[in-house]
Structures are given as C-alpha cells and as structure tokens.
Amino acid sequence: TQFITENETDEADLVEIKRLYIQDGRVISHASSKVPGVPGNSITDDFCTAQKQVFRDPDDHLAKGGLKKMGEALERGMVLALSIW
C-alpha cells in the first residue's frame, strides 16, 4: 500500500492511496473499478465522491475531511487490532 502526498514528501497532504501486489517478483496494480461512473484503481477524494454518488450513500468521507484528514490521523499513529477466533 502506498500513501501518496501532493508533493511526494512526508510533509504534504495525503491525496491518494494505491494498492500494489507482488507475485513471483512481478508488480501487479490493483484492478480498475468496473462500476459505471466510478473510474480509477486507487483511492482519491474524487474516487470516493463518485462512489458515494453512484451508490446514493451519504459522503461521510468528504464530510470528515477526506484524505487530508486521514493523512493527519495517520501521522498521529494508528493501531490495527484483529481478533481471530
């Protein structure tokens, strides 16, 4: 997973999240969206807004500040907790 900022430094705002896979030494990009009206293969504010519009969902992503706020939260540190039982 790549977290890309507007000027590709740690000091700038988050603008895109890309997922890549490596299999047998080959880099494989995440598949492009097949949902009409939702182009792309990475997470951007535009991608999230388009998806919310197509599925008629409230745009909580934009209401909470989008990727800029997500980047600020990541900078403070996060913990992923999983439970398997």
Side-chain angles (χ1 to χ4, degrees):
T1 302
Q2 296 176 325
F3 298 92
I4 300 168
T5 63
E6 61 189 353
N7 67 2
E8 298 183 7
T9 70
D10 289 345
E11 306 303 317
D13 294 336
L14 180 64
V15 294
E16 184 176 16
I17 301 172
K18 286 186 179 182
R19 293 177 283 183
L20 304 169
Y21 306 91
I22 299 176
Q23 186 175 27
D24 295 327
R26 205 175 93 218
V27 177
I28 303 166
S29 295
H30 195 270
S32 292
S33 170
K34 299 214 184 290
V35 177
V38 186
N41 68 345
S42 63
I43 299 169
T44 64
D45 287 335
D46 289 342
F47 179 86
C48 292
T49 296
Q51 186 172 355
K52 293 297 186 176
Q53 288 172 349
V54 167
F55 291 106
R56 298 185 190 153
D57 288 334
D59 195 345
D60 292 326
H61 172 78
L62 185 60
K64 293 179 177 157
L67 288 178
K68 180 179 190 302
K69 288 294 185 181
M70 172 90 176
E72 291 171 6
L74 287 168
E75 214 169 282
R76 292 190 298 271
M78 293 187 175
V79 175
L80 173 64
L82 299 173
S83 176
I84 301 174
W85 34 288

